[in-house]
Amino acid sequence: MNGAEMMALAEELYPLCRSITGDGVRETLRTLGRWNPVEIVEVPTGSPACDWVVPREWNLREAWVKSSSGEKVVDLADSTLHVVGYSVPVHEKLSRAELDAHLHSIPEHPSWIPWRNSYYEEGWGFCLPHAQRAALPDEEYEVYIDASLEDGHLSYGELFLPGRRDEELLVSVHVCHPSLANDNLSGIAVSTAVASMLAGRDRTLGVRFLYVPGTIGSLAWLERNRERTGRVVGGLTLTCLGDAAGLTYKRSFAGDADVDRVAKAVLADRAAQGLGESELIDFYPYGYDERQYNAPAFRMPVGSLMRSRHGRFDEYHSSADDLSLLSVERLEEARDVVLEILGRLDRNRRYRSLAPEGEPQLGRRGIYRALGGGGDPAALQYAMLWLLQCGDGSHSLLDVAERSEMPFGQIADAADLLEEHALIDRS
Ligand code: ZN
């Protein structure tokens, strides 16, 4: 799936009215189903989700504010951001002052529409550009929100690509934002591309893709999949991957998990090749669903890959976070970095030497002839010596790459060769 296809997917999903529940999420998941066989899981209202409870399902059909002349001055049809998420139905006439108590705008950016929600507190409201709000004349207004807030379901998407072993990797994105491009659609597009490119490939570790409404969706998944959490050996949440900032990796709670070390090395390699600088930041308990996966009961080693950080770009959670923030090249770069991180985690393994009593005699085993097959024979030989030296069963390929300061790919290639010649084995 190339950058143009990722961009086309984001454009197709952009107008849908998503929230933490409802038909917008279902339609989004069904659209992803055209690329990958994403299973849609429906969790009933009232179901436990760790310490939370799945809320009532919200669906929004029509909403507007009319002036006394009957003109629609705010209309859902113009932007999904115009209505506060989880607004209860309303149809009444109000004075300008009464209406204003239900309006939201951003004074510093008077032409942008903010995105607001009232998931867990009953109410209603409209969001609009501050300039428009300030210019509303003092007259009577008619407000109408045709929404339902009823027992139903929370929907999330799940896709599992099996590997040869029970352990698995996790890629999780949130799917609850309406017409917001960088914070939400970029992550969905990159995850979809990664899944489509990994499908059908031979791999050691399974890869699980989750498309969940933020917080409540990952908690609902955790509630129903406690026994799986221990199998996850590494993972990423993906968010804000289309804007112009460099890549940022947020470490897992552990801070030194394999995924943290691999992400650091992948980003350092890119910088060394002149492909752009990036930033590594420590875990903090704010952001996206990595907070839930890293909770004390689960401690899944899940980091987060992004460009601009949560809440740290001007357009965040406003109508200015539109499709113009995304670029084909940046989506592709993010896709490639995710594939590289997952690929190295898949190749990584603990191993032990099967000839641990000093340096084994490589010539006798035909390895020197095999070295002529390509790559840099001297480097491959040196990598093999490092592997054999470290092969007491307590080291992984990642450990050897770090200690030898050699590229992970070279260490992994050398390990494959040693395994073929029965000199090392998985420990
Ligand atoms: Zn957000």
Side-chain angles (χ1 to χ4, degrees):
M1 190 174 181
N2 63 32
E5 290 167 318
M6 284 188 265
M7 189 65 100
L9 175 61
E11 283 166 6
E12 185 177 356
L13 296 177
Y14 186 74
L16 296 179
C17 188
R18 277 170 292 271
S19 186
I20 52 173
T21 62
D23 290 332
V25 173
R26 283 189 196 97
E27 187 60 33
T28 299
L29 298 174
R30 277 196 291 268
T31 303
L32 301 185
R34 287 213 312 273
W35 288 97
N36 299 298
V38 175
E39 182 198 355
I40 302 178
V41 180
E42 299 281 359
V43 187
T45 298
S47 302
C50 298
D51 196 48
W52 298 45
V53 175
V54 171
R56 289 178 291 171
E57 180 177 329
W58 184 66
N59 284 293
L60 178 62
R61 288 170 285 275
E62 188 183 348
W64 39 257
V65 178
K66 276 185 187 169
S67 66
S68 57
S69 67
E71 185 202 351
K72 284 181 186 171
V73 291
V74 181
D75 191 350
L76 173 70
D78 298 331
S79 170
T80 61
L81 304 182
H82 271 319
V83 179
V84 171
Y86 263 68
S87 282
V88 295
V90 63
H91 190 191
E92 57 189 63
K93 292 193 172 174
L94 299 168
S95 71
R96 166 79 177 75
E98 287 167 331
L99 172 65
D100 201 70
H102 293 276
L103 298 183
H104 304 268
S105 59
I106 315 171
E108 307 81 55
H109 296 289
S111 64
W112 299 358
I113 307 167
W115 180 48
R116 297 280 185 271
N117 292 288
S118 187
Y119 300 135
Y120 301 105
E121 196 177 323
E122 256 188 39
W124 62 268
F126 285 90
C127 303
L128 73 170
H130 191 72
Q132 188 193 355
R133 178 184 184 177
L136 286 176
D138 190 7
E139 58 180 1
E140 191 178 63
Y141 292 89
E142 182 183 357
V143 297
Y144 180 66
I145 297 179
D146 177 15
S148 56
L149 187 55
E150 299 165 342
D151 283 357
H153 295 83
L154 171 148
S155 320
Y156 67 77
E158 185 163 17
L159 169 71
F160 183 61
L161 305 177
R164 289 190 301 276
R165 293 172 71 91
D166 274 348
E167 292 128 330
E168 53 187 69
L169 302 172
L170 180 79
V171 176
S172 178
V173 295
H174 58 295
V175 291
C176 50
H177 293 28
S179 305
L180 296 165
N182 193 39
D183 178 11
N184 214 174
L185 295 178
S186 67
I188 294 173
V190 170
S191 170
T192 301
V194 168
S196 72
M197 293 172 84
L198 289 180
R201 276 198 209 169
D202 179 57
R203 69 182 66 79
T204 303
L205 305 175
V207 190
R208 189 172 300 277
F209 292 85
L210 294 179
Y211 300 88
V212 291
T215 307
I216 187 70
S218 53
L219 291 171
W221 183 85
L222 286 162
E223 171 77 40
R224 298 154 71 94
N225 292 277
R226 285 192 168 84
E227 80 290 351
R228 286 193 205 286
T229 59
R231 296 185 206 163
V232 174
V233 297
L236 293 169
T237 62
L238 305 179
T239 179
C240 300
L241 286 167
D243 69 280
L247 288 162
T248 293
Y249 174 74
K250 174 186 173 181
R251 295 182 179 91
S252 72
F253 178 80
D256 61 352
D258 286 355
V259 64
D260 302 318
R261 296 160 64 193
V262 165
K264 179 182 175 183
V266 167
L267 293 174
D269 289 352
R270 293 181 68 81
Q273 293 164 45
L275 294 173
E277 295 298 316
S278 47
E279 199 184 348
L280 297 168
I281 56 176
D282 283 332
F283 184 88
Y284 56 98
Y286 205 50
Y288 296 95
D289 292 302
E290 67 279 2
R291 298 178 293 152
Q292 317 310 334
Y293 302 129
N294 280 281
F298 311 118
R299 287 288 192 251
M300 297 157 77
V302 175
S304 186
L305 189 71
M306 65 199 102
R307 290 182 181 278
S308 283
R309 286 164 66 175
H310 171 267
R312 295 260 189 109
F313 55 107
D314 283 351
E315 300 89 348
Y316 177 75
H317 284 187
S318 84
S319 57
D321 182 358
D322 62 18
L323 293 163
S324 70
L325 279 194
L326 310 185
S327 90
V328 164
E329 294 74 26
R330 293 190 292 266
L331 292 173
E332 285 184 347
E333 182 191 24
R335 174 202 66 193
D336 292 346
V337 167
V338 174
L339 283 168
E340 182 65 24
I341 292 172
L342 298 180
R344 288 194 197 183
L345 286 169
D346 189 67
R347 288 191 86 183
N348 188 36
R349 56 191 183 267
R350 281 185 198 289
Y351 72 97
R352 67 195 164 92
S353 168
L354 298 176
E357 296 180 324
E359 185 176 315
Q361 206 184 353
L362 298 179
R364 170 155 65 83
R365 294 174 167 87
I367 286 187
Y368 289 123
R369 281 191 300 281
L371 286 178
D376 177 349
L380 203 53
Q381 189 180 344
Y382 194 50
M384 286 194 293
L385 293 179
W386 264 112
L387 283 158
L388 291 164
Q389 193 73 51
C390 296
D392 55 22
S394 72
H395 294 92
S396 67
L397 304 191
L398 191 53
D399 295 329
V400 179
E402 286 178 355
R403 179 144 183 182
S404 66
E405 296 182 337
M406 296 184 75
F408 179 85
Q410 224 155 42
I411 295 292
D413 288 348
D416 289 347
L417 195 57
L418 289 173
E419 211 168 308
E420 264 169 46
H421 288 83
L423 277 164
I424 64 169
D425 204 356
R426 275 179 177 272
S427 66

